[in-house]
Structure formats: C-alpha cells, structure tokens
C-alpha cells in the first residue's frame, strides 16, 4: 500500500499543476463581480481587492497568467471584448497601462499588470 502512495501523489501533483489560470480568448468571458455589464475572462481568479476611496465606488482584483506583459499591455482580444459589451474607451484619459471605459454614465478603470489586473467602478462625481 505504501508503495502505491508515492505514484498516486506524483500523478495528483501533475494533474493539479495543469490547472493553472491562464488567459485564453477561447475560454470566454463573464460578468465582473462589481459591475454586471463589464467583462472579465472566465478563468480569472479573484483575489483581495484594493480599498475604495472617494473616487472609487467598487473594486475587484483578479489574477490571471498572461493577461498582461511586463509593461502591462493587455491582450487585444480582451480590449475588443470590452468594446463588444458596449463600453467605449476614453483614450484621451489613458495613462500607461490604466484604461478608462464609459457606458451609460458609468466609468470603469482597468489597470493591467503582468499576470494581474484591477477593475474599479468610479464614483459618479469623478472628474477625469
């Protein structure tokens, strides 16, 4: 019985290492926890978000391998998906890897970094 334990543990470790959350456009998208109209990749793993401020009404933080490179450049397919959900990027407000989107008076901020991204729903009285 003890001889079988080691091979079973090795197989289990191999299976578990295959369950890495990684960005692929084929996996699709789901609604963000802070705004049902904003897409996030289906396989993004939610972690503890940043604290809200007077400018931020809600926040969510996600881990996802491959969502951004070292400079925070997001996959083009993700940006296209956001637009297909009806969000318009406020390109003149973009600062580095911080993107702002507007839809029906709501403003969302998307901050992409390597393997992690933050999503913020801005307060109604924000001046960009």
């Amino acid at each position: 019985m003890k001889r079988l334990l080691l091979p079973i543990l090795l197989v289990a470790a191999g299976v578990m290492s295959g369950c890495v959350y990684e960005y692929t456009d084929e996996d699709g998208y789901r609604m963000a926890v802070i705004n049902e109209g904003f897409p996030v990749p289906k396989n993004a793993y939610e972690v503890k978000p940043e604290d809200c401020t007077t400018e931020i009404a809600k926040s969510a933080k996600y881990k996802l391998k491959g969502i951004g490179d070292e400079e925070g450049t997001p996959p083009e397919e993700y940006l296209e998906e956001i637009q297909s959900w009806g969000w318009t990027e406020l390109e003149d407000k973009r600062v580095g890897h911080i993107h702002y989107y507007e839809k029906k008076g709501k403003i969302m901020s998307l901050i992409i970094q390597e393997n992690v991204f933050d999503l913020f729903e801005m307060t109604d009285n924000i001046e960009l």
Side-chain angles (χ1 to χ4, degrees):
M1 183 66 174
K2 289 182 181 180
R3 289 183 176 170
L4 291 176
L5 186 58
L6 182 59
I8 291 172
L9 289 176
L10 289 174
V11 169
V15 169
M16 288 174 48
S17 66
C19 299
V20 174
Y21 296 103
E22 188 165 357
Y23 175 80
T24 61
D25 188 50
E26 293 83 30
D27 286 337
Y29 299 88
R30 61 182 163 93
M31 297 179 285
V33 295
I34 62 169
N35 185 304
E36 293 182 355
F38 200 90
V40 295
K42 265 188 187 175
N43 52 355
Y45 178 75
E46 189 178 356
V47 294
K48 186 179 184 304
E50 305 295 326
D51 291 331
C52 294
T53 65
T54 56
E55 296 177 339
I56 299 170
K58 300 176 189 174
S59 68
K61 185 178 199 86
Y62 298 91
K63 278 189 163 186
L64 184 60
K65 185 176 180 182
I67 191 66
D69 60 16
E70 291 176 4
E71 288 130 20
T73 306
E76 192 62 36
E77 298 86 6
Y78 183 37
L79 300 179
E80 291 170 2
E81 186 71 20
I82 294 169
Q83 290 182 348
S84 76
W85 284 41
W87 293 89
T88 303
E89 183 172 6
L90 305 173
E91 292 182 19
D92 59 326
K93 306 299 183 195
R94 186 188 311 173
V95 179
H97 58 272
I98 303 172
H99 300 259
Y100 291 95
Y101 292 90
E102 189 274 330
K103 178 180 175 182
K104 297 180 182 176
K106 285 285 182 196
I107 296 178
M108 300 293 288
S109 172
L110 174 66
I111 302 174
I112 303 278
Q113 298 172 1
E114 186 175 11
N115 301 326
V116 67
F117 64 101
D118 292 282
L119 188 58
F120 302 104
E121 183 175 299
M122 309 308 285
T123 58
D124 291 335
N125 58 1
I126 181 93
E127 292 287 330
L128 292 178

